[in-house]
């Protein structure tokens, strides 16, 4: 394990190591994913279009939807949408800053 919670892939994206995500979900957020339902779209072509259509259908049927697509066209924030509204830059900065603040504590706790 290196000394950082982030994986450096490129300067325009934020990737958090999977062991850290599991730790955060379990210890800090009480596993919110356990109360949600997911649709995972995989394949070679058309994933973004199919995911967007599924999200739109569910949203118009009264469900609150979250959508993550990759890669992004213009900015990282367009990858994450709630009810078709992209994450704001302010929310992105807030989340990243919180993770940077808690990073050393998380790494210390994981070593013990």
């Amino acid at each position: 394990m290196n000394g950082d919670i982030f994986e450096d892939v490129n300067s325009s994206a934020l990737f958090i190591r999977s062991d850290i995500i599991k730790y955060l979900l379990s210890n800090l957020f009480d596993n919110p994913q356990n109360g949600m339902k997911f649709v995972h779209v995989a394949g070679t072509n058309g994933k973004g279009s199919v995911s967007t259509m599924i999200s739109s259908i569910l949203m118009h049927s009264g469900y609150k939807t979250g959508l993550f697509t990759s890669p992004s066209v213009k900015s990282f924030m367009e990858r994450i949408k709630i009810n078709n509204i992209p994450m704001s830059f302010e929310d992105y900065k807030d989340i990243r800053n919180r993770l940077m603040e808690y990073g050393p504590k998380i790494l210390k706790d994981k070593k013990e």
Side-chain angles (χ1 to χ4, degrees):
M1 174 184 307
N2 65 29
D4 194 0
I5 65 169
F6 299 103
E7 294 177 359
D8 293 322
V9 176
N10 65 51
S11 61
S12 66
L14 170 64
F15 293 89
I16 304 170
R17 294 187 354 225
S18 63
D19 62 318
I20 299 298
I21 291 172
K22 289 175 186 174
Y23 178 91
L24 288 169
L25 291 172
S26 176
N27 294 300
L28 299 179
F29 299 111
D30 197 28
N31 290 305
Q33 75 283 3
N34 292 345
M36 299 178 191
K37 296 182 180 180
F38 297 88
V39 175
H40 183 121
V41 178
T44 305
N45 295 313
K47 295 178 295 295
S49 299
V50 169
S51 298
T52 300
M53 284 188 273
I54 292 170
S55 178
S56 180
I57 291 166
L58 290 171
M59 189 175 65
H60 285 90
S61 297
Y63 291 92
K64 182 176 182 179
T65 65
L67 178 65
F68 176 83
T69 58
S70 181
S72 50
V73 176
K74 295 179 186 175
S75 73
F76 180 82
M77 282 70 65
E78 72 184 17
R79 292 181 181 192
I80 302 170
K81 296 180 182 180
I82 303 294
N83 281 346
N84 205 33
I85 300 171
M87 171 189 269
S88 70
F89 184 66
E90 291 75 26
D91 286 343
Y92 169 80
K93 286 191 314 187
D94 181 53
I95 291 167
R96 190 179 197 292
N97 289 340
R98 287 182 189 188
L99 291 172
M100 293 296 284
E101 177 183 341
Y102 289 109
K105 179 187 181 330
I106 294 166
L107 291 171
K108 180 181 176 220
D109 288 351
K110 287 188 65 53
K111 288 179 183 177
E112 294 175 355

